[in-house]
Amino acid sequence: MTAPVLPADSPEAIARAAALLREGGLVAMPTETVYGLAADAGNAAAVARLYAAKGRPRFNPLIAHVSGIAMAKRLVEWPALADALASAFWPGPLTLVLPKLADAPVCDLANAGLDSVAIRAPGHAAAQALLTAFGGPLVAPSANPSGGVSPTTAAHVSDGLGEMLDLILDGGPCTVGVESTVIALLDGRATLLRPGGLERDRIEAITGPLAIAGHSDAPASPGMLASHYAPGAAMRLNATVAQAGELLLGFGPIAGDLNLSPTGDLAEAAARLFAALREMDAAGPKLIAVAPIPDEGLGEAINDRLQRAAAPREMP
Ligand code: TXA
Ligand code: MG
């Protein structure tokens, strides 16, 4: 049976969702980036169910979502740089990885047994209402089967995971459309683990130049698998024309069969990206070709997702 869908702006739906989460249930919630699959961060049985529902490898830690800075301080050490970044960008598409406090209400499974926890205060009103009603941190990976395309509507969630969930809150299409930017604040420096919905230059205005994960002198993010966000069809990037059997995802003046943003607006392109990949994939092409996207601002996150979607597949 597929999970019930309730409007995310209904107080009754939020109360029902909070009650389900307290019982160890799984609830899909809208955020401004993508839909998240929420569970009580402190309930190991619920978190185990969450990993199983997504088919997610257990070495890939989850983000603990908080209502704001006060709740974050119950989970992690809070250096001045965390305060500066959170004050500037929360609630919003920024995740901070910080040292975990011994008494944090986050089970070891949720952060894959690491000494650190990733935390984010989401900007969507329904996510904020749910966190306030629940009164504690909620872990929430993107609400899709592991390795696939992230969901930006309640229908995407229902298509991918409907049978595994207790409730889906429908808050409409996500406005940002790509996942949060993940920054580690460990060992006294700031490292970019995942480009995302908050542009790097806005962060660097506060932190100075970021170290980049994967470079020899920086910590890696355990979840950054080469193949991810992948549709069923194979992908070809930096294409200007479609070849036989291909559909072309356009950008700016390269019209394509579907255009991420005819005016070349990167925010519009990010918001449409995952829905466009799903729509093209549903037409069953041999290959999805994608027009070049400038690698600046939100283009960095878009290109990161496209490169992973095009990478050789690691999953069955
Ligand atoms: O926008 C988002 O971040 C969405 C919405 C639902 O909030 N969530 C999301 O979660 O994208 P997920 O699980 O798909 O991605 C979490 C990322 C992974 O790359 C994971 O490896 C990294 O955060 N991460 C989590 N905890 C970490 C830790 N302690 N150290 C390093 N990386 C961590
Ligand atoms: Mg994900």
Side-chain angles (χ1 to χ4, degrees):
M1 210 187 65
T2 189
V5 180
L6 293 175
D9 60 359
S10 142
E12 294 76 28
I14 296 295
R16 173 90 191 110
L20 284 166
L21 289 164
R22 267 180 224 114
E23 294 160 14
L26 300 180
V27 173
M29 67 170 177
T31 84
E32 77 281 30
T33 59
V34 301
Y35 275 71
L37 174 48
D40 176 354
N43 182 334
V47 176
R49 239 186 105 203
L50 187 159
Y51 275 93
K54 273 186 66 89
R56 179 175 175 114
R58 289 190 178 206
F59 59 78
N60 188 0
L62 304 170
I63 297 171
H65 292 68
V66 295
S67 50
I69 290 174
M71 196 184 282
K73 286 179 170 173
R74 285 160 45 192
L75 274 52
V76 289
E77 289 174 20
W78 196 251
L81 197 49
D83 211 54
L85 287 170
S87 301
F89 301 120
W90 278 5
L94 174 67
T95 294
L96 300 174
V97 176
L98 289 155
K100 184 181 181 177
L101 294 179
D103 59 350
V106 175
C107 64
D108 286 339
L109 184 55
N111 67 318
L114 300 171
D115 296 332
S116 58
V117 188
I119 47 171
R120 168 167 115 82
H124 195 293
Q128 279 290 328
L130 183 56
L131 284 159
T132 302
F134 182 73
L138 294 170
V139 284
S142 53
N144 56 285
S146 187
V149 179
S150 297
T152 53
T153 67
H156 296 162
V157 177
S158 191
D159 289 348
L161 288 178
E163 319 264 293
M164 325 289 277
L165 311 183
D166 297 303
L167 177 65
I168 298 172
L169 294 173
D170 185 350
C174 300
T175 51
V176 175
V178 291
E179 296 82 352
S180 60
T181 305
V182 182
I183 305 286
L185 296 179
L186 301 171
D187 311 324
R189 63 184 172 161
T191 304
L192 177 67
L193 299 186
R194 177 177 73 180
L198 183 66
E199 297 93 331
R200 188 217 288 226
D201 55 356
R202 296 184 61 196
I203 297 168
E204 289 185 328
I206 292 176
T207 60
L210 292 166
I212 308 294
H215 290 213
S216 54
D217 63 335
S221 186
M224 292 302 271
L225 304 174
S227 171
H228 206 132
Y229 314 101
M235 309 261 302
R236 182 168 73 87
L237 305 185
N238 296 314
T240 46
V241 288
Q243 293 165 3
E246 294 184 359
L247 285 176
L248 177 63
L249 183 56
F251 177 79
I254 299 177
D257 298 284
L258 196 77
N259 196 307
L260 285 174
S261 172
T263 60
D265 176 348
L266 289 167
E268 181 182 38
R272 285 189 182 166
L273 177 67
F274 290 136
L277 288 177
R278 284 168 185 269
E279 190 179 328
M280 296 199 107
D281 205 24
K286 189 177 77 184
L287 208 138
I288 300 173
V290 189
I293 311 285
D295 206 36
E296 64 202 33
L298 287 173
E300 194 180 3
I302 297 172
N303 284 322
D304 171 80
R305 304 307 185 267
L306 287 171
Q307 279 151 18
R308 289 176 208 284
R313 309 289 161 87
E314 288 153 3
M315 63 244 175

